Amino acid sequence: MTKQIIFIFALFCSIQTWANSQPEQEDTVRYTSHYVATEQVQPVYLDGVVLPVRGSGNWFVSIAGGTTAFLGTPLGCEDVFGRLKPSYSLAVGKWFTPSVGARINYSGLRFKDARLSTQDYHHIHADLLWNVFGHRYSRQEQVRWSLAPFAGVGLLHHATNGHNPFAVSYGVQGEYRISKRVSAMLELSGTTTFQDFDGYGKPNRLGDNMLSLSAGFIFHLGKVGWKRAVDATPYIRQNEWLTDYVNILSKENNHYKSRFDRDKRTLIELKKILEIEGLLDTYKHLFEDRDSSIINCGYPRNNYSGLNSLRARLKNRKWDGVSPFGRIESISDSDCLVSENRNILAADTTILMYTDNQCIGSPVYFFFALNSDRLTDASQMLNLDELARVAKKHNLCVRVTGAADSSTGTAAINDSLSVLRSGIIAAELEQRGIPADRIIKAGKGGIADHLPIEANRHTKVELYFSKTTKTGD
């Protein structure tokens, strides 16, 4: 009993293990994404290179007030503090780079000369400024502090004696940026001119000096600031990579387009074969989603089968149904005339309704490439087989008419081209067993009967009864 229990337990475990090891049903189709995420290029800035926000920007106006001490030759008996007099200055300038700028400055008011008498003066000068902290703009957008030594030239004017000597200006300006538009300014400057500026001393010798200390504000006008120059190398590399990737995608697209065109032509041929064999109704569901692509085959289409049937019934509404050949034999789907436009002669009864020399059904057109006797699509040759088969079965005559496009080529070229095209189709029909005496060839030359103009480059094939056919050949 114990052995039986152990055996049953072992069997149960084996069954459970086998059940757990059964493969699950999974979909073997996997979707592969071709999306390629390009990494966002982070800006890399060139070291030490900046650009102005705009070429007309970085203008400034300054206003300052302070004190001036005149130290002339001769000096006089007063010390520096006893010579101090108030002064002011106004300036307009522009920074061309973070380090280089220029300004025009006016300053003046009063000073004490060598005899310690108070005199009025005016000083106008142009200065070149050099910001020693300008290099910081290449690493940050805003710099609070700036220190700018300057030097320049100008003219001094003594209001009492009328002297206007040449003067050299120099100094240093410190600036603290309060906001984007306003800065506080402190300036220590000096001016050197000739000794006779105050009326005392030797002419044509430098010796009179003015020392000034002033404080005020600078107002920044227009576009303010500097842009760091971006290194274009990463973007160039990314653009090269994207160009290569586009080329790869273009090649793949051309490959898939060629395969799609090949599959489309195969489907067209398959549909023709199924239509000839009478199996199109059975398998038409395979083509329902592809009808739009199958129809667009690159050359004009014929689609008059319903119209042909209606015309035949209306024209022969009094027909007694007796065939001139004796017993009327209905024909199967395989006896139908099939063309690119699905132009079908439904039965012998329909064929026999037509009178002498009247085209049975609609003409079948064969379209040619520009200025050549080459068909636009070789699959059109399939129509010739059915045309020959129906013509031989019912002893019909064939009218072959070539044409060319009158909008291109000369009249002589179009005439010869139309004859050549009709001869090509007629020769193909003869190879398929139609006697040459039942084929009538004609060339219409250049025509402009159809739109689009490409439709005029064709050969038209018509099947019809002749008198000999109806009376017996």
Side-chain angles (χ1 to χ4, degrees):
M1 185 65 180
T2 303
K3 292 181 179 181
Q4 293 177 353
I5 293 174
I6 294 173
F7 175 76
I8 294 173
F9 179 75
L11 181 62
F12 175 77
C13 291
S14 300
I15 294 173
Q16 183 67 26
T17 303
W18 175 82
N20 292 336
S21 63
Q22 287 298 308
E24 297 180 356
Q25 294 292 332
E26 293 183 351
D27 187 5
T28 58
V29 177
R30 294 290 183 269
Y31 172 74
T32 303
S33 175
H34 292 281
Y35 174 78
V36 178
T38 58
E39 182 180 356
Q40 184 70 27
V41 177
Q42 298 298 326
V44 178
Y45 299 99
L46 296 174
D47 188 20
V49 181
V50 294
L51 302 171
V53 175
R54 183 178 294 178
S56 60
N58 292 307
W59 287 88
F60 64 88
V61 174
S62 67
I63 180 171
T67 183
T68 299
F70 179 76
L71 305 174
T73 303
L75 181 61
C77 300
E78 187 65 83
D79 59 12
V80 174
F81 293 100
R83 299 173 182 273
L84 295 178
K85 283 293 181 179
S87 63
Y88 67 93
S89 67
L90 299 172
V92 176
K94 174 180 173 61
W95 287 101
F96 303 104
T97 71
S99 298
V100 179
R103 70 176 182 178
I104 297 176
N105 184 281
Y106 166 80
S107 62
L109 198 56
R110 296 182 178 88
F111 73 98
K112 284 186 177 183
D113 60 13
R115 291 192 176 188
L116 302 181
S117 62
T118 302
Q119 305 291 338
D120 293 338
Y121 80 99
H122 306 280
H123 182 206
I124 185 168
H125 54 97
D127 300 324
L128 182 67
L129 298 94
W130 179 264
N131 182 10
V132 297
F133 296 149
H135 64 279
R136 293 185 177 180
Y137 283 96
S138 62
R139 298 179 178 85
Q140 58 189 88
E141 294 184 0
Q142 286 290 345
V143 178
R144 289 287 184 182
W145 292 93
S146 67
L147 183 65
F150 63 88
V153 295
L155 295 175
L156 273 169
H157 174 69
H158 195 294
T160 302
N161 59 27
H163 286 181
N164 298 298
F166 175 80
V168 178
S169 58
Y170 45 86
V172 62
Q173 181 188 90
E175 178 184 343
Y176 175 76
R177 181 80 61 143
I178 299 174
S179 67
K180 182 180 180 180
R181 298 286 180 182
V182 181
S183 299
M185 180 263 288
L186 180 66
E187 182 177 311
L188 176 64
S189 63
T191 303
T192 299
T193 187
F194 298 107
Q195 295 179 9
D196 63 343
F197 168 67
D198 60 347
Y200 308 98
K202 297 179 181 180
N204 301 325
R205 287 191 179 183
L206 297 176
D208 286 354
N209 303 281
M210 284 188 179
L211 296 178
S212 299
L213 179 65
S214 59
F217 296 95
I218 299 176
F219 302 94
H220 303 274
L221 306 177
K223 294 292 183 178
V224 179
W226 308 91
K227 294 187 300 183
R228 300 170 66 187
V230 178
D231 186 1
T233 303
Y235 296 95
I236 294 174
R237 285 198 295 263
Q238 185 189 48
N239 184 67
E240 292 174 350
W241 182 89
L242 290 174
T243 301
D244 294 338
Y245 185 61
V246 167
N247 292 333
I248 293 173
L249 292 181
S250 179
K251 292 180 181 178
E252 291 183 357
N253 184 64
N254 291 334
H255 169 71
Y256 289 125
K257 182 179 181 299
S258 300
R259 191 163 69 179
F260 172 76
D261 292 339
R262 185 171 63 253
D263 293 343
K264 184 173 68 174
R265 289 193 298 269
T266 303
L267 287 174
I268 293 172
E269 297 298 331
L270 177 60
K271 191 170 184 181
K272 291 177 182 178
I273 294 172
L274 292 176
E275 192 172 9
I276 293 170
E277 299 297 332
L279 300 175
L280 184 59
D281 291 338
T282 304
Y283 296 100
K284 65 180 179 180
H285 64 279
L286 299 176
F287 301 92
E288 289 176 353
D289 296 335
R290 301 178 176 85
D291 281 345
S292 59
S293 61
I294 291 175
I295 291 173
N296 186 22
C297 293
Y299 52 86
R301 301 289 174 185
N302 307 303
N303 192 9
Y304 308 125
S305 57
L307 178 61
N308 293 334
S309 176
L310 178 61
R311 287 173 56 192
R313 292 196 300 272
L314 291 175
K315 188 176 180 107
N316 300 278
R317 57 185 179 275
K318 296 182 180 180
W319 179 55
D320 58 4
V322 178
S323 172
F325 298 101
R327 184 175 59 87
I328 299 175
E329 299 177 356
S330 62
I331 56 179
S332 64
D333 290 342
S334 61
D335 294 329
C336 295
L337 177 61
V338 181
S339 67
E340 286 284 341
N341 55 8
R342 296 187 290 273
N343 181 25
I344 302 174
L345 298 176
D348 289 346
T349 55
T350 304
I351 294 175
L352 299 176
M353 291 177 184
Y354 290 88
T355 59
D356 294 339
N357 297 321
Q358 181 182 359
C359 178
I360 299 173
S362 294
V364 178
Y365 289 84
F366 295 83
F367 298 97
F368 291 83
L370 176 65
N371 196 29
S372 74
D373 58 355
R374 187 182 70 257
L375 293 173
T376 57
D377 194 318
S379 62
Q380 297 181 80
M381 298 294 287
L382 186 64
N383 297 333
L384 294 170
D385 297 333
E386 285 300 301
L387 284 169
R389 185 185 62 79
V390 173
K392 288 188 294 182
K393 178 174 180 178
H394 301 285
N395 203 23
L396 302 176
C397 292
V398 184
R399 184 184 299 113
V400 181
T401 307
D405 171 22
S406 63
S407 62
T408 58
T410 63
I413 293 176
N414 289 334
D415 288 340
S416 62
L417 193 59
S418 65
V419 172
L420 179 62
R421 288 171 176 171
S422 64
I424 291 294
I425 299 302
E428 292 291 338
L429 290 173
E430 290 182 23
Q431 291 180 6
R432 287 163 174 78
I434 300 179
D437 58 355
R438 291 193 177 276
I439 300 176
I440 298 177
K441 295 181 291 184
K444 295 181 66 175
I447 63 172
D449 299 341
H450 307 286
L451 289 176
I453 60 175
E454 291 83 357
N456 297 304
R457 306 164 191 160
H458 66 253
T459 291
K460 178 173 66 174
V461 178
E462 301 169 283
L463 301 181
Y464 65 94
F465 284 115
S466 67
K467 292 181 179 181
T468 57
T469 302
K470 290 203 172 184
T471 58
D473 192 2

